[in-house]
PDB file of all heavy atoms in Angstrom:
ATOM      1  N   TRP X  23     -12.994  52.605  55.803  1.00  0.00           N
ATOM      2  CA  TRP X  23     -13.132  51.379  56.596  1.00  0.00           C
ATOM      3  C   TRP X  23     -12.180  50.357  55.984  1.00  0.00           C
ATOM      4  O   TRP X  23     -12.299  50.006  54.804  1.00  0.00           O
ATOM      5  CB  TRP X  23     -14.570  50.863  56.527  1.00  0.00           C
ATOM      6  CG  TRP X  23     -15.566  51.821  57.114  1.00  0.00           C
ATOM      7  CD1 TRP X  23     -15.937  53.025  56.614  1.00  0.00           C
ATOM      8  CD2 TRP X  23     -16.306  51.645  58.318  1.00  0.00           C
ATOM      9  NE1 TRP X  23     -16.869  53.607  57.437  1.00  0.00           N
ATOM     10  CE2 TRP X  23     -17.115  52.787  58.481  1.00  0.00           C
ATOM     11  CE3 TRP X  23     -16.376  50.620  59.261  1.00  0.00           C
ATOM     12  CZ2 TRP X  23     -17.975  52.934  59.559  1.00  0.00           C
ATOM     13  CZ3 TRP X  23     -17.238  50.782  60.328  1.00  0.00           C
ATOM     14  CH2 TRP X  23     -18.029  51.919  60.484  1.00  0.00           C
ATOM     15  N   PHE X  24     -11.225  49.918  56.777  1.00  0.00           N
ATOM     16  CA  PHE X  24     -10.241  48.925  56.342  1.00  0.00           C
ATOM     17  C   PHE X  24     -10.615  47.584  56.962  1.00  0.00           C
ATOM     18  O   PHE X  24     -10.819  47.496  58.178  1.00  0.00           O
ATOM     19  CB  PHE X  24      -8.834  49.310  56.825  1.00  0.00           C
ATOM     20  CG  PHE X  24      -8.376  50.660  56.358  1.00  0.00           C
ATOM     21  CD1 PHE X  24      -8.514  51.775  57.172  1.00  0.00           C
ATOM     22  CD2 PHE X  24      -7.783  50.816  55.111  1.00  0.00           C
ATOM     23  CE1 PHE X  24      -8.068  53.025  56.766  1.00  0.00           C
ATOM     24  CE2 PHE X  24      -7.343  52.065  54.684  1.00  0.00           C
ATOM     25  CZ  PHE X  24      -7.491  53.172  55.518  1.00  0.00           C
ATOM     26  N   HIS X  25     -10.697  46.549  56.142  1.00  0.00           N
ATOM     27  CA  HIS X  25     -11.073  45.216  56.614  1.00  0.00           C
ATOM     28  C   HIS X  25      -9.993  44.208  56.203  1.00  0.00           C
ATOM     29  O   HIS X  25      -9.430  44.308  55.116  1.00  0.00           O
ATOM     30  CB  HIS X  25     -12.383  44.750  55.980  1.00  0.00           C
ATOM     31  CG  HIS X  25     -13.510  45.716  56.123  1.00  0.00           C
ATOM     32  ND1 HIS X  25     -14.393  45.681  57.169  1.00  0.00           N
ATOM     33  CD2 HIS X  25     -13.894  46.757  55.346  1.00  0.00           C
ATOM     34  CE1 HIS X  25     -15.278  46.646  57.026  1.00  0.00           C
ATOM     35  NE2 HIS X  25     -15.000  47.320  55.926  1.00  0.00           N
ATOM     36  N   LEU X  26      -9.768  43.247  57.057  1.00  0.00           N
ATOM     37  CA  LEU X  26      -8.926  42.093  56.750  1.00  0.00           C
ATOM     38  C   LEU X  26      -9.687  40.905  57.302  1.00  0.00           C
ATOM     39  O   LEU X  26      -9.900  40.799  58.515  1.00  0.00           O
ATOM     40  CB  LEU X  26      -7.548  42.233  57.422  1.00  0.00           C
ATOM     41  CG  LEU X  26      -6.562  41.093  57.183  1.00  0.00           C
ATOM     42  CD1 LEU X  26      -6.207  40.982  55.703  1.00  0.00           C
ATOM     43  CD2 LEU X  26      -5.305  41.303  58.022  1.00  0.00           C
ATOM     44  N   MET X  27     -10.172  40.022  56.402  1.00  0.00           N
ATOM     45  CA  MET X  27     -11.065  38.962  56.867  1.00  0.00           C
ATOM     46  C   MET X  27     -10.957  37.699  56.034  1.00  0.00           C
ATOM     47  O   MET X  27     -10.574  37.744  54.872  1.00  0.00           O
ATOM     48  CB  MET X  27     -12.497  39.465  56.852  1.00  0.00           C
ATOM     49  CG  MET X  27     -12.960  39.960  55.510  1.00  0.00           C
ATOM     50  SD  MET X  27     -14.426  40.974  55.694  1.00  0.00           S
ATOM     51  CE  MET X  27     -14.408  41.806  54.134  1.00  0.00           C
ATOM     52  N   GLY X  28     -11.318  36.591  56.677  1.00  0.00           N
ATOM     53  CA  GLY X  28     -11.309  35.306  56.004  1.00  0.00           C
ATOM     54  C   GLY X  28     -11.486  34.166  56.988  1.00  0.00           C
ATOM     55  O   GLY X  28     -11.761  34.386  58.169  1.00  0.00           O
ATOM     56  N   LYS X  29     -11.297  32.946  56.483  1.00  0.00           N
ATOM     57  CA  LYS X  29     -11.472  31.784  57.362  1.00  0.00           C
ATOM     58  C   LYS X  29     -10.335  31.661  58.370  1.00  0.00           C
ATOM     59  O   LYS X  29     -10.479  31.061  59.420  1.00  0.00           O
ATOM     60  CB  LYS X  29     -11.630  30.497  56.561  1.00  0.00           C
ATOM     61  CG  LYS X  29     -10.432  30.121  55.737  1.00  0.00           C
ATOM     62  CD  LYS X  29     -10.637  28.824  54.982  1.00  0.00           C
ATOM     63  CE  LYS X  29      -9.362  28.550  54.204  1.00  0.00           C
ATOM     64  NZ  LYS X  29      -9.089  27.197  53.968  1.00  0.00           N
ATOM     65  N   ASP X  30      -9.179  32.268  58.049  1.00  0.00           N
ATOM     66  CA  ASP X  30      -8.039  32.315  58.959  1.00  0.00           C
ATOM     67  C   ASP X  30      -7.100  33.431  58.506  1.00  0.00           C
ATOM     68  O   ASP X  30      -7.306  34.033  57.447  1.00  0.00           O
ATOM     69  CB  ASP X  30      -7.308  30.971  59.031  1.00  0.00           C
ATOM     70  CG  ASP X  30      -6.870  30.458  57.669  1.00  0.00           C
ATOM     71  OD1 ASP X  30      -6.471  31.279  56.807  1.00  0.00           O
ATOM     72  OD2 ASP X  30      -6.915  29.240  57.459  1.00  0.00           O
ATOM     73  N   ARG X  31      -6.101  33.692  59.300  1.00  0.00           N
ATOM     74  CA  ARG X  31      -5.185  34.792  58.982  1.00  0.00           C
ATOM     75  C   ARG X  31      -4.454  34.558  57.661  1.00  0.00           C
ATOM     76  O   ARG X  31      -4.256  35.478  56.873  1.00  0.00           O
ATOM     77  CB  ARG X  31      -4.184  34.969  60.129  1.00  0.00           C
ATOM     78  CG  ARG X  31      -3.261  36.124  59.942  1.00  0.00           C
ATOM     79  CD  ARG X  31      -2.421  36.329  61.178  1.00  0.00           C
ATOM     80  NE  ARG X  31      -1.407  37.343  60.954  1.00  0.00           N
ATOM     81  CZ  ARG X  31      -0.589  37.791  61.864  1.00  0.00           C
ATOM     82  NH1 ARG X  31      -0.664  37.322  63.087  1.00  0.00           N
ATOM     83  NH2 ARG X  31       0.298  38.706  61.577  1.00  0.00           N
ATOM     84  N   ALA X  32      -4.081  33.321  57.410  1.00  0.00           N
ATOM     85  CA  ALA X  32      -3.316  33.006  56.201  1.00  0.00           C
ATOM     86  C   ALA X  32      -4.105  33.272  54.919  1.00  0.00           C
ATOM     87  O   ALA X  32      -3.539  33.653  53.904  1.00  0.00           O
ATOM     88  CB  ALA X  32      -2.847  31.563  56.246  1.00  0.00           C
ATOM     89  N   SER X  33      -5.425  33.072  54.957  1.00  0.00           N
ATOM     90  CA  SER X  33      -6.238  33.249  53.751  1.00  0.00           C
ATOM     91  C   SER X  33      -7.053  34.547  53.763  1.00  0.00           C
ATOM     92  O   SER X  33      -7.881  34.763  52.880  1.00  0.00           O
ATOM     93  CB  SER X  33      -7.179  32.056  53.575  1.00  0.00           C
ATOM     94  OG  SER X  33      -8.107  32.012  54.652  1.00  0.00           O
ATOM     95  N   ALA X  34      -6.824  35.389  54.755  1.00  0.00           N
ATOM     96  CA  ALA X  34      -7.599  36.630  54.869  1.00  0.00           C
ATOM     97  C   ALA X  34      -7.352  37.547  53.669  1.00  0.00           C
ATOM     98  O   ALA X  34      -6.263  37.582  53.115  1.00  0.00           O
ATOM     99  CB  ALA X  34      -7.230  37.343  56.163  1.00  0.00           C
ATOM    100  N   ARG X  35      -8.399  38.273  53.296  1.00  0.00           N
ATOM    101  CA  ARG X  35      -8.285  39.218  52.186  1.00  0.00           C
ATOM    102  C   ARG X  35      -8.585  40.614  52.695  1.00  0.00           C
ATOM    103  O   ARG X  35      -9.293  40.793  53.688  1.00  0.00           O
ATOM    104  CB  ARG X  35      -9.221  38.851  51.047  1.00  0.00           C
ATOM    105  CG  ARG X  35     -10.686  38.978  51.391  1.00  0.00           C
ATOM    106  CD  ARG X  35     -11.590  38.672  50.188  1.00  0.00           C
ATOM    107  NE  ARG X  35     -12.979  38.893  50.513  1.00  0.00           N
ATOM    108  CZ  ARG X  35     -13.611  40.061  50.447  1.00  0.00           C
ATOM    109  NH1 ARG X  35     -12.969  41.137  50.081  1.00  0.00           N
ATOM    110  NH2 ARG X  35     -14.882  40.169  50.753  1.00  0.00           N
ATOM    111  N   THR X  36      -8.048  41.592  52.010  1.00  0.00           N
ATOM    112  CA  THR X  36      -8.304  42.979  52.385  1.00  0.00           C
ATOM    113  C   THR X  36      -9.510  43.504  51.619  1.00  0.00           C
ATOM    114  O   THR X  36      -9.823  43.045  50.523  1.00  0.00           O
ATOM    115  CB  THR X  36      -7.080  43.872  52.083  1.00  0.00           C
ATOM    116  OG1 THR X  36      -6.807  43.805  50.686  1.00  0.00           O
ATOM    117  CG2 THR X  36      -5.866  43.445  52.876  1.00  0.00           C
ATOM    118  N   HIS X  37     -10.167  44.457  52.208  1.00  0.00           N
ATOM    119  CA  HIS X  37     -11.321  45.104  51.595  1.00  0.00           C
ATOM    120  C   HIS X  37     -11.376  46.518  52.178  1.00  0.00           C
ATOM    121  O   HIS X  37     -11.160  46.701  53.374  1.00  0.00           O
ATOM    122  CB  HIS X  37     -12.591  44.319  51.932  1.00  0.00           C
ATOM    123  CG  HIS X  37     -13.840  44.912  51.373  1.00  0.00           C
ATOM    124  ND1 HIS X  37     -14.073  45.030  50.024  1.00  0.00           N
ATOM    125  CD2 HIS X  37     -14.928  45.420  51.996  1.00  0.00           C
ATOM    126  CE1 HIS X  37     -15.267  45.582  49.840  1.00  0.00           C
ATOM    127  NE2 HIS X  37     -15.795  45.834  51.015  1.00  0.00           N
ATOM    128  N   MET X  38     -11.638  47.490  51.335  1.00  0.00           N
ATOM    129  CA  MET X  38     -11.677  48.871  51.794  1.00  0.00           C
ATOM    130  C   MET X  38     -12.905  49.562  51.205  1.00  0.00           C
ATOM    131  O   MET X  38     -13.221  49.372  50.028  1.00  0.00           O
ATOM    132  CB  MET X  38     -10.396  49.582  51.349  1.00  0.00           C
ATOM    133  CG  MET X  38     -10.268  50.989  51.820  1.00  0.00           C
ATOM    134  SD  MET X  38      -8.656  51.724  51.448  1.00  0.00           S
ATOM    135  CE  MET X  38      -8.507  51.488  49.706  1.00  0.00           C
ATOM    136  N   THR X  39     -13.593  50.322  52.044  1.00  0.00           N
ATOM    137  CA  THR X  39     -14.726  51.113  51.583  1.00  0.00           C
ATOM    138  C   THR X  39     -14.584  52.532  52.137  1.00  0.00           C
ATOM    139  O   THR X  39     -13.855  52.768  53.101  1.00  0.00           O
ATOM    140  CB  THR X  39     -16.077  50.524  52.054  1.00  0.00           C
ATOM    141  OG1 THR X  39     -16.114  50.496  53.482  1.00  0.00           O
ATOM    142  CG2 THR X  39     -16.297  49.126  51.505  1.00  0.00           C
ATOM    143  N   VAL X  40     -15.312  53.470  51.523  1.00  0.00           N
ATOM    144  CA  VAL X  40     -15.319  54.856  51.984  1.00  0.00           C
ATOM    145  C   VAL X  40     -16.774  55.232  52.261  1.00  0.00           C
ATOM    146  O   VAL X  40     -17.628  55.133  51.377  1.00  0.00           O
ATOM    147  CB  VAL X  40     -14.716  55.808  50.922  1.00  0.00           C
ATOM    148  CG1 VAL X  40     -14.757  57.250  51.413  1.00  0.00           C
ATOM    149  CG2 VAL X  40     -13.293  55.391  50.571  1.00  0.00           C
ATOM    150  N   ALA X  41     -17.039  55.647  53.495  1.00  0.00           N
ATOM    151  CA  ALA X  41     -18.402  56.012  53.897  1.00  0.00           C
ATOM    152  C   ALA X  41     -18.830  57.306  53.207  1.00  0.00           C
ATOM    153  O   ALA X  41     -18.125  58.313  53.263  1.00  0.00           O
ATOM    154  CB  ALA X  41     -18.475  56.177  55.410  1.00  0.00           C
ATOM    155  N   LEU X  42     -19.989  57.252  52.547  1.00  0.00           N
ATOM    156  CA  LEU X  42     -20.565  58.419  51.873  1.00  0.00           C
ATOM    157  C   LEU X  42     -22.057  58.490  52.197  1.00  0.00           C
ATOM    158  O   LEU X  42     -22.901  58.380  51.306  1.00  0.00           O
ATOM    159  CB  LEU X  42     -20.364  58.313  50.352  1.00  0.00           C
ATOM    160  CG  LEU X  42     -18.939  58.209  49.833  1.00  0.00           C
ATOM    161  CD1 LEU X  42     -18.917  57.950  48.326  1.00  0.00           C
ATOM    162  CD2 LEU X  42     -18.159  59.472  50.167  1.00  0.00           C
ATOM    163  N   PRO X  43     -22.423  58.653  53.487  1.00  0.00           N
ATOM    164  CA  PRO X  43     -23.846  58.620  53.839  1.00  0.00           C
ATOM    165  C   PRO X  43     -24.666  59.606  53.004  1.00  0.00           C
ATOM    166  O   PRO X  43     -24.279  60.757  52.832  1.00  0.00           O
ATOM    167  CB  PRO X  43     -23.861  58.996  55.324  1.00  0.00           C
ATOM    168  CG  PRO X  43     -22.502  59.498  55.652  1.00  0.00           C
ATOM    169  CD  PRO X  43     -21.568  58.997  54.605  1.00  0.00           C
ATOM    170  N   GLY X  44     -25.765  59.079  52.463  1.00  0.00           N
ATOM    171  CA  GLY X  44     -26.669  59.885  51.646  1.00  0.00           C
ATOM    172  C   GLY X  44     -26.274  60.027  50.195  1.00  0.00           C
ATOM    173  O   GLY X  44     -27.039  60.542  49.382  1.00  0.00           O
ATOM    174  N   ALA X  45     -25.093  59.572  49.825  1.00  0.00           N
ATOM    175  CA  ALA X  45     -24.596  59.753  48.464  1.00  0.00           C
ATOM    176  C   ALA X  45     -25.389  58.953  47.437  1.00  0.00           C
ATOM    177  O   ALA X  45     -25.890  57.866  47.721  1.00  0.00           O
ATOM    178  CB  ALA X  45     -23.120  59.371  48.394  1.00  0.00           C
ATOM    179  N   THR X  46     -25.476  59.521  46.240  1.00  0.00           N
ATOM    180  CA  THR X  46     -26.122  58.861  45.099  1.00  0.00           C
ATOM    181  C   THR X  46     -25.274  59.136  43.858  1.00  0.00           C
ATOM    182  O   THR X  46     -24.325  59.929  43.901  1.00  0.00           O
ATOM    183  CB  THR X  46     -27.539  59.431  44.854  1.00  0.00           C
ATOM    184  OG1 THR X  46     -27.410  60.810  44.490  1.00  0.00           O
ATOM    185  CG2 THR X  46     -28.442  59.264  46.067  1.00  0.00           C
ATOM    186  N   LYS X  47     -25.676  58.539  42.755  1.00  0.00           N
ATOM    187  CA  LYS X  47     -25.002  58.805  41.485  1.00  0.00           C
ATOM    188  C   LYS X  47     -25.108  60.295  41.145  1.00  0.00           C
ATOM    189  O   LYS X  47     -24.158  60.909  40.678  1.00  0.00           O
ATOM    190  CB  LYS X  47     -25.630  57.957  40.370  1.00  0.00           C
ATOM    191  CG  LYS X  47     -24.995  58.183  39.020  1.00  0.00           C
ATOM    192  CD  LYS X  47     -25.624  57.302  37.962  1.00  0.00           C
ATOM    193  CE  LYS X  47     -24.944  57.546  36.627  1.00  0.00           C
ATOM    194  NZ  LYS X  47     -25.439  56.648  35.593  1.00  0.00           N
ATOM    195  N   GLN X  48     -26.258  60.867  41.426  1.00  0.00           N
ATOM    196  CA  GLN X  48     -26.491  62.272  41.112  1.00  0.00           C
ATOM    197  C   GLN X  48     -25.600  63.206  41.942  1.00  0.00           C
ATOM    198  O   GLN X  48     -25.168  64.243  41.473  1.00  0.00           O
ATOM    199  CB  GLN X  48     -27.960  62.647  41.336  1.00  0.00           C
ATOM    200  CG  GLN X  48     -28.925  62.003  40.363  1.00  0.00           C
ATOM    201  CD  GLN X  48     -29.146  60.508  40.635  1.00  0.00           C
ATOM    202  OE1 GLN X  48     -29.041  60.024  41.761  1.00  0.00           O
ATOM    203  NE2 GLN X  48     -29.430  59.756  39.575  1.00  0.00           N
ATOM    204  N   THR X  49     -25.316  62.844  43.189  1.00  0.00           N
ATOM    205  CA  THR X  49     -24.526  63.735  44.048  1.00  0.00           C
ATOM    206  C   THR X  49     -23.018  63.520  43.913  1.00  0.00           C
ATOM    207  O   THR X  49     -22.244  64.396  44.298  1.00  0.00           O
ATOM    208  CB  THR X  49     -24.915  63.570  45.536  1.00  0.00           C
ATOM    209  OG1 THR X  49     -24.627  62.244  45.971  1.00  0.00           O
ATOM    210  CG2 THR X  49     -26.374  63.919  45.758  1.00  0.00           C
ATOM    211  N   THR X  50     -22.609  62.381  43.378  1.00  0.00           N
ATOM    212  CA  THR X  50     -21.167  62.091  43.303  1.00  0.00           C
ATOM    213  C   THR X  50     -20.636  61.860  41.896  1.00  0.00           C
ATOM    214  O   THR X  50     -19.443  61.988  41.672  1.00  0.00           O
ATOM    215  CB  THR X  50     -20.820  60.822  44.110  1.00  0.00           C
ATOM    216  OG1 THR X  50     -21.475  59.700  43.501  1.00  0.00           O
ATOM    217  CG2 THR X  50     -21.209  60.958  45.565  1.00  0.00           C
ATOM    218  N   GLY X  51     -21.522  61.454  41.000  1.00  0.00           N
ATOM    219  CA  GLY X  51     -21.068  61.089  39.661  1.00  0.00           C
ATOM    220  C   GLY X  51     -20.571  59.658  39.582  1.00  0.00           C
ATOM    221  O   GLY X  51     -20.256  59.163  38.495  1.00  0.00           O
ATOM    222  N   LEU X  52     -20.517  58.964  40.707  1.00  0.00           N
ATOM    223  CA  LEU X  52     -20.092  57.561  40.709  1.00  0.00           C
ATOM    224  C   LEU X  52     -21.259  56.657  40.337  1.00  0.00           C
ATOM    225  O   LEU X  52     -22.400  56.914  40.740  1.00  0.00           O
ATOM    226  CB  LEU X  52     -19.570  57.158  42.093  1.00  0.00           C
ATOM    227  CG  LEU X  52     -18.253  57.787  42.520  1.00  0.00           C
ATOM    228  CD1 LEU X  52     -17.994  57.505  44.002  1.00  0.00           C
ATOM    229  CD2 LEU X  52     -17.110  57.255  41.681  1.00  0.00           C
ATOM    230  N   PRO X  53     -21.009  55.589  39.613  1.00  0.00           N
ATOM    231  CA  PRO X  53     -22.092  54.669  39.270  1.00  0.00           C
ATOM    232  C   PRO X  53     -22.617  53.940  40.498  1.00  0.00           C
ATOM    233  O   PRO X  53     -21.916  53.823  41.503  1.00  0.00           O
ATOM    234  CB  PRO X  53     -21.442  53.702  38.282  1.00  0.00           C
ATOM    235  CG  PRO X  53     -19.985  53.775  38.563  1.00  0.00           C
ATOM    236  CD  PRO X  53     -19.718  55.150  39.077  1.00  0.00           C
TER     237      PRO X  53
END
């Protein structure tokens, strides 16, 4: 999921996430 958001285009910031439905620390090793 790619996001570009903010109060306006000039101040927008990027944010990226990866969907891992059901994932936990035990299933992925990620904290």
Side-chain angles (χ1 to χ4, degrees):
W23 297 69
F24 302 96
H25 307 268
L26 180 63
M27 57 197 162
K29 63 179 180 151
D30 55 37
R31 184 173 173 176
S33 65
R35 66 177 184 85
T36 60
H37 179 64
M38 183 173 54
T39 60
V40 179
L42 301 173
T46 64
K47 180 179 181 176
Q48 292 74 29
T49 63
T50 64
L52 291 169

